[in-house]
Amino acid sequence: MKKIVVLVLISVCLLAGKLSAAPVPSNTGGCSGFSLSGGECLLSGSSRGASGTNLTSNPDNNGFLINPAGEGYTYVTKFEGSDSIWSSQGGVTTITLTESISSMFSQIAIGIKQGPVWAVFLIDTALGSYEFNQNAISNVTFYSSANIAETPLPAAAWLFLTGLAGMGWLKRRKAKRSKQQA
């Protein structure tokens, strides 16, 4: 009986934790009506008009990078319509990060362009997949920042490498001793 009571209490606590979890944030204010699940709006703009209003790979002509909101960010890569990191259905576009992006960064800024209008969001790459509230996007651009830490190599990897180096040193030492005794 005690086991059942304990299991029920644990289940209730776990369920309560899931129910009280914060919803995935999205920001539509200030991002031209765009929202991205798990994304914080940094800046939006339009490619119509003067130079420096588009999301280009040229940092001197990129609307986000030349704006104070983009200070400290650098261009990483761009995916165009023929690339398959997104799919659209029912008024929503799902963007799925590539392994190369999600493994290199814990956070990254993502620029999404739809026609002449674009928005840049700060995202946590741990989510892996994001829902954008529009269809018919033309490209997705990624930016990194010195303020956004790259994902560190786990401590276990450093311990493993140290162990390998130690084993190599022992093997070399043993071989040297064998040579001296011969």
Side-chain angles (χ1 to χ4, degrees):
M1 183 67 174
K2 283 184 179 179
K3 287 181 182 179
I4 293 174
V5 171
V6 169
L7 287 174
V8 169
L9 284 173
I10 290 172
S11 298
V12 169
C13 289
L14 290 173
L15 184 60
K18 286 189 178 194
L19 292 176
S20 66
V24 175
S26 64
N27 186 337
T28 56
C31 263
S32 302
F34 290 159
S35 68
L36 182 71
S37 64
E40 174 190 340
C41 177
L42 296 175
L43 184 69
S44 66
S46 173
S47 60
R48 290 187 179 135
S51 134
T53 58
N54 206 346
L55 298 180
T56 69
S57 58
N58 177 357
D60 298 327
N61 193 29
N62 185 297
F64 173 64
L65 295 176
I66 64 173
N67 189 285
E71 187 176 325
Y73 286 86
T74 57
Y75 172 87
V76 174
T77 191
K78 180 187 259 183
F79 292 90
E80 306 262 355
S82 62
D83 297 312
S84 59
I85 70 163
W86 72 80
S87 62
S88 298
Q89 185 175 6
V92 174
T93 299
T94 302
I95 300 169
T96 305
L97 296 184
T98 63
E99 180 66 29
S100 61
I101 295 292
S102 59
S103 66
M104 284 179 56
F105 303 97
S106 58
Q107 285 188 323
I108 197 161
I110 180 173
I112 303 170
K113 186 165 183 262
Q114 181 192 33
V117 185
W118 53 265
V120 179
F121 300 88
L122 181 62
I123 60 170
D124 179 350
T125 60
L127 295 177
S129 181
Y130 307 84
E131 289 191 357
F132 184 62
N133 69 330
Q134 304 286 328
N135 277 335
I137 63 176
S138 56
N139 61 63
V140 175
T141 308
F142 292 96
Y143 304 93
S144 69
S145 169
N147 299 330
I148 299 175
E150 291 188 20
T151 304
L153 189 60
W158 292 114
L159 289 173
F160 177 73
L161 293 174
T162 304
L164 280 178
M167 288 174 56
W169 177 77
L170 286 173
K171 184 177 179 180
R172 188 173 179 176
R173 184 175 171 193
K174 185 178 179 181
K176 192 175 183 179
R177 278 190 182 173
S178 297
K179 213 178 202 184
Q180 286 176 349
Q181 289 177 353

